[in-house]
Amino acid sequence: MYFASDNSGPVHPQVMAALNAANEGYQMAYGADTLMNEVRDRIRGIFEAPGAAVYLVATGTAANSLALATLAQPWETVFCSPVAHIHEDECNAPEFYSGAKLTLVPGEDKMTPEALRGSILAEETRGVHGPQRGPVSITQVTERGSVYSLAELQALCAVAKQNGLPVHLDGARFTNALVALNCSPAEMTWKAGVDAVSFGGTKNGLMGVEAVVFFDEFKAWEFELRRKRGAHLFSKHRYLSAQMAAYLQDDLWLTMARQANANCARLADGLRAKGASFLHDPQANMIFAQFSRARHKQLHEAGAVYHLWGAELDGSDDAEILACRLVCDWSISAEQIDQFLDLL
């Protein structure tokens, strides 16, 4: 009954087999391996972007930070949600790598075009003394489990483009959002107005690899330099390539995301039936649910692993309603979900 994070789940056996196969013999280093050529072609194919520049790094923080550093000048500011991963969970790495600051667009989860426009227009008002307008970064799936619709993405990108700003998509859970929307990668990125995407894999069954995709190769060389300077260019790069190649083989990436989302839907339906309430409507593979401290204690004592949200398990009032975050990955079984619900 492990619902702490999709980072905590196992690597898919097909990915482990691919790593083992990649371990045979010798390959050129630093991304010159033959597998990387295959990965690059596949990613260009699924995004319908034959001219895209494709790179691999090992972590989502590296993907986001290096991509934003490539899109932003040090005197600019990056516009993002107050609960964006780049703000809450990356230890100022985007600021460190880019030199730019973050401007938090008012709101609780998703950005709105109106709020984004207001935040953009509030900058470049102090001449040389203030930050200049920089990239817009959108988190899809959001950190609260919400999914931007295609129309919402297009509207945000339109505001950015009206102000001459590039758009970055933090897609740590890119595929969970994609299958929830039942759209194509192109529709959720460059066709909506996105310039660069962090195409996540680690949260969806990989050991540790993320792709950074620039739909305009203009920034490609700068990204390569920043990746090297930032110590994120792997020498034995074939082990990154092997993971991503296995991920894309026979649509494994889609299969795992569909399973994770289906697991979440099963859990959400069961929670509703048990009378739990939700802080946010579950739309992908993440749930923010509320029920009593007594039930939380019972679940933890039985071995369930998940995080309380803005609350502590210890407390004398067992009737108090506490929020929690529950995340499903591809590997959670129906039996584990049902066991959790039966205990609840």
Side-chain angles (χ1 to χ4, degrees):
M1 297 182 293
Y2 207 105
F3 301 99
S5 173
D6 40 11
N7 285 319
S8 304
V11 176
H12 195 280
Q14 289 175 224
V15 177
M16 295 300 292
L19 282 165
N20 191 55
N23 201 41
E24 297 293 326
Y26 298 85
Q27 281 283 341
M28 295 296 287
Y30 300 113
D33 53 279
T34 55
L35 272 174
M36 186 57 199
N37 293 329
E38 177 184 331
V39 165
R40 193 178 292 110
D41 288 343
R42 287 188 184 179
I43 289 180
R44 287 170 173 167
I46 66 172
F47 279 96
E48 304 170 46
V54 179
Y55 302 102
L56 300 182
V57 293
T59 71
T61 297
N64 288 336
S65 301
L66 293 171
L68 286 169
T70 305
L71 294 175
Q73 295 291 337
W75 48 83
E76 293 178 341
T77 187
V78 177
F79 298 94
C80 66
S81 160
V83 297
H85 199 273
I86 62 171
H87 170 59
E88 289 196 328
D89 297 293
E90 293 182 351
C91 196
N92 294 0
E95 294 95 325
F96 173 79
Y97 280 99
S98 68
K101 70 186 292 289
L102 302 183
T103 291
L104 306 183
V105 177
E108 296 183 358
D109 184 18
K110 290 182 179 180
M111 289 188 291
T112 66
E114 295 75 22
L116 177 59
R117 183 179 294 106
S119 294
I120 291 172
L121 294 178
E123 300 299 349
E124 292 191 13
T125 59
R126 298 181 296 284
V128 73
H129 305 289
Q132 305 301 294
R133 298 166 185 166
V136 174
S137 184
I138 304 170
T139 310
Q140 175 80 316
V141 176
T142 75
E143 291 299 302
R144 298 296 181 264
S146 303
V147 176
Y148 286 97
S149 69
L150 292 182
E152 288 172 326
L153 287 174
Q154 291 162 3
L156 291 173
C157 290
V159 171
K161 300 307 178 188
Q162 287 162 10
N163 290 278
L165 305 180
V167 178
H168 163 256
L169 188 74
D170 174 359
R173 296 183 174 92
F174 181 94
T175 317
N176 299 99
L178 189 77
V179 299
L181 292 177
N182 191 29
C183 66
S184 73
E187 289 173 324
M188 204 170 78
T189 54
W190 64 267
K191 287 185 177 181
V194 171
D195 297 283
V197 59
S198 300
F199 176 47
T202 307
K203 295 181 188 298
N204 193 33
L206 298 187
M207 181 178 288
V209 66
E210 319 281 315
V212 179
V213 183
F214 289 91
F215 297 107
D216 184 341
E217 287 190 306
F218 175 71
K219 290 286 189 177
W221 178 236
E222 181 180 342
F223 182 87
E224 290 196 47
L225 294 172
R226 288 186 178 278
R227 180 176 59 165
K228 177 63 177 179
R229 183 174 181 268
H232 282 285
L233 175 60
F234 268 46
S235 172
K236 294 191 174 180
H237 189 281
R238 60 172 151 165
Y239 300 103
L240 299 182
S241 304
Q243 293 179 67
M244 188 58 72
Y247 190 55
L248 301 175
Q249 182 70 40
D250 299 325
D251 288 342
L252 180 62
W253 60 299
L254 295 170
T255 299
M256 288 193 289
R258 289 187 182 112
Q259 187 59 55
N261 286 13
N263 290 340
C264 183
R266 183 187 187 98
L267 179 59
D269 288 344
L271 288 167
R272 289 189 188 94
K274 300 291 184 183
S277 60
F278 298 92
L279 297 179
H280 307 277
D281 180 34
Q283 294 180 309
N285 69 319
M286 199 170 0
I287 297 171
F288 289 82
Q290 299 182 108
F291 40 89
S292 71
R293 175 179 276 112
R295 294 293 170 257
H296 285 295
K297 287 181 177 178
Q298 182 180 359
L299 286 161
H300 278 79
E301 288 167 2
V305 181
Y306 60 92
H307 295 296
L308 292 182
W309 201 254
E312 298 292 335
L313 188 62
D314 294 334
S316 57
D317 184 2
D318 280 354
E320 184 181 1
I321 302 300
L322 307 180
C324 66
R325 188 187 81 156
L326 303 162
V327 188
C328 294
D329 80 331
W330 66 274
S331 70
I332 298 291
S333 69
E335 289 74 20
Q336 289 172 301
I337 295 169
D338 292 345
Q339 181 185 2
F340 182 92
L341 292 170
D342 288 343
L343 285 166
L344 182 64

